[in-house]
Amino acid sequence: MEEWTPRRKRLVLATLCATMFMAMLDNVIVNNALPRIGRDLHTGVGGLQWVVEGYSLVYAALLLTGGTLGDRYGRRRIFLVGLALFTAGSAAAGLSWSTGTLVAARMLQGVGAALLTPGSLSILRHVFTDERERARAVGLWSAVSGLGLAVGPVLGGPVVEAFGWSGVFWINVPVGVAGLLLAARALPEFTAGVPRLDLPGQALSALGLGALVHALIDGPGEGWRAPAVLGCLALAALLLPVFLLVELRTATPMLDLRLFRDPVLCGAMLTGFMVSFGMFGAVFFLPLLMQDVMGWAPSAAGIAGLPSTAMIVAAAPVAGALTARYGPRPPLVAGLTLCAVALAGLSAYGEHARYPQYLWVLLVMGFGMGLTFAPVSITVMRRVEPARAGMASATVNTLRELGGVIGVVVLGAILASRLPPGPAGPGTDGPAFVEGLHLALRCGSAALAGTAALVALLLRPRPATPTAPAADRPTPAAEPAHS
């Protein structure tokens, strides 16, 4: 049995936190650069969506692959490969000279992130065997993720103004190099003994998801009856059901559909998907509203979002404590409800709104999001056995990323339906942009409110039985006992 001293545990946790910080920082800092990217590379909202979605699509499509590769070839080895690719992709993005090269670099970042992310929870579970100690580690890991979200908007504006939009990518490089050095020294190597890869599943999921998201992005601009859009929708409708059938029949699936039989785990995964759907869709368009319609400078827009992201950090320990005492139901339902209230509140303000008027919305939005992150991760580790922890973690992260992709696309399509036809950007028609954004925010709010009610139902208390533990409590039977 490998000896884990307190010092080495802290080093492992620091490594995982540093890499998660970088990934979260990259997610939000790019949003601050979108208006400048659009102007410098002469691209519209569709091109900017691909800057975001190119990363998210590849990341979501390959997360399950990354989890399987880590189980088969070693989680430390795959983590290091992924971190190296992410760092290289960041440098390539900083050197990009066109929208196409930037999207390609973002896709390389997505490949790297898909390889390094799934192993994080598995490594935490392997190293922190005491449940209380593990819960604290997950809480800190989640808080650092929130810190990346908090620092991103603050750094993004000044970096863009001082170094141009490429600076938001170069900032990842030193963090990535430091993470590689730390990971090579501290992380343990272990596998789950997966006998072979699910190659048909990998191909079907990547092609099916790629076709679906491509159609959703191009549909609003090209028209839903365009041959290319209809072809992608038809391909997705064919491949994704076949993918599910293959996963049901294979002995080593990349997506174990039995995970969805657990209502508690299903509720946690649904929460991760829908929070990303509503909140990342709103976050994508908020900088465009503040900079192109309201006339804010990039740095000012970044600082204005700090209260929201700071509340994510503040909410993480609260969410962990609530989950430890009452189970995941209270923080997940409360978080979803607060997010729904925030989006509905934000839809009440237009281009002439003053910052103090809608500050409360940003605070509620951040706290609501922060209440959901740690409980979802803790639930995954408690509800599945160690051999399936990597797959479950990859499934949750896949759903989160898909939620973000689909949220940006769907809310973007709703927004675009109110814009006048033509290549004009949102800044040239402020009232129409604001009207479309308000409609998108209200739709997102309704979706989150409905999800809160559904999650409350899925996670309702049930009588404990030998095979079906109470849904609102952790299930110690799902993991080995520790002395």
Side-chain angles (χ1 to χ4, degrees), residues 46-421:
L48 294 179
Q49 282 184 301
W50 270 110
V51 172
V52 176
E53 306 302 348
Y55 171 91
S56 299
L57 171 61
V58 173
Y59 179 49
L62 296 181
L63 260 171
L64 291 170
T65 300
T68 305
L69 290 174
D71 291 342
R72 174 75 186 273
Y73 298 110
R75 294 191 172 108
R76 175 179 175 272
R77 181 179 294 112
I78 299 302
F79 184 96
L80 288 171
V81 172
L83 185 54
L85 289 176
F86 186 92
T87 305
S90 298
L95 295 170
S96 296
W97 61 88
S98 67
T99 304
T101 55
L102 179 57
V103 171
R106 291 285 287 160
M107 288 182 170
L108 181 60
Q109 284 185 298
V111 174
L115 294 179
L116 71 89
T117 301
S120 294
L121 276 180
S122 297
I123 293 172
L124 282 176
R125 183 172 192 159
H126 181 79
V127 173
F128 295 91
T129 54
D130 178 76
E131 186 170 331
R132 293 181 180 178
E133 188 180 36
R134 183 188 298 162
R136 288 195 297 268
V138 172
L140 180 59
W141 184 67
S142 300
V144 169
S145 301
L147 182 62
L149 294 172
V151 172
V154 178
L155 287 179
V159 167
V160 170
E161 291 181 350
F163 304 105
W165 59 264
S166 64
V168 303
F169 299 108
W170 285 114
I171 200 172
N172 292 329
V173 175
V175 179
V177 171
L180 279 168
L181 296 175
L182 251 141
R185 177 184 177 187
L187 296 188
E189 183 64 281
F190 63 101
T191 68
V194 175
R196 62 187 179 86
L197 299 178
D198 177 20
L199 295 179
Q202 313 287 359
L204 288 168
S205 66
L207 292 174
L209 291 172
L212 175 63
V213 176
H214 190 282
L216 290 173
I217 291 176
D218 283 356
E222 300 294 329
W224 294 105
R225 296 183 179 180
V229 174
L230 288 175
C232 287
L233 287 174
L235 186 62
L238 173 66
L239 294 181
L240 292 178
V242 174
F243 164 68
L244 295 179
L245 290 174
V246 168
E247 297 309 286
L248 285 171
R249 294 175 178 273
T250 185
T252 56
M254 63 180 289
L255 175 61
D256 191 344
L257 298 177
R258 291 175 297 176
L259 294 174
F260 295 95
R261 295 178 182 174
D262 182 347
V264 177
L265 191 58
C266 192
M269 291 189 289
L270 177 63
T271 299
F273 176 88
M274 287 306 301
V275 167
S276 293
F277 175 91
M279 307 315 291
F280 280 88
V283 167
F284 176 82
F285 294 105
L286 198 56
L288 296 175
L289 172 69
M290 297 182 74
Q291 295 181 45
D292 286 354
V293 176
M294 295 181 172
W296 288 56
S299 58
I303 294 173
L306 180 58
S308 177
T309 46
M311 290 302 289
I312 296 175
V313 179
V318 176
L322 288 172
T323 304
R325 184 164 184 175
Y326 301 108
R329 189 175 189 243
L332 292 182
V333 173
L336 285 164
T337 302
L338 290 176
C339 288
V341 170
L343 291 190
L346 191 58
S347 72
Y349 300 101
E351 57 187 308
H352 301 298
R354 297 180 179 273
Y355 183 70
Q357 293 177 303
Y358 58 87
L359 175 61
W360 72 271
V361 174
L362 302 179
L363 296 173
V364 172
M365 182 186 299
F367 199 79
M369 292 177 67
L371 283 179
T372 66
F373 291 155
V376 170
S377 299
I378 292 172
T379 300
V380 169
M381 288 195 294
R382 285 180 170 179
R383 303 295 296 193
V384 302
E385 64 271 17
R388 296 199 297 168
M391 177 188 294
S393 174
T395 302
V396 169
N397 285 312
T398 298
L399 290 172
R400 279 173 167 161
E401 282 302 312
L402 280 178
V405 170
I406 296 174
V408 171
V409 171
V410 171
L411 297 185
I414 294 171
L415 186 156
S417 69
R418 296 301 178 96
L419 294 179

Side-chain angles (χ1 to χ4, degrees), residues 6-43:
R7 180 179 179 277
R8 191 176 178 196
K9 287 182 178 180
R10 289 194 296 269
L11 196 59
V12 169
L13 184 58
T15 302
L16 298 177
C17 286
T19 53
M20 185 57 64
F21 175 87
M22 178 181 65
M24 293 298 102
L25 181 75
D26 184 73
N27 272 338
V28 292
I29 201 171
V30 171
N31 290 335
N32 289 82
L34 291 176
R36 188 71 62 86
I37 291 172
R39 289 193 292 270
D40 289 356
L41 299 184
H42 308 291
T43 188

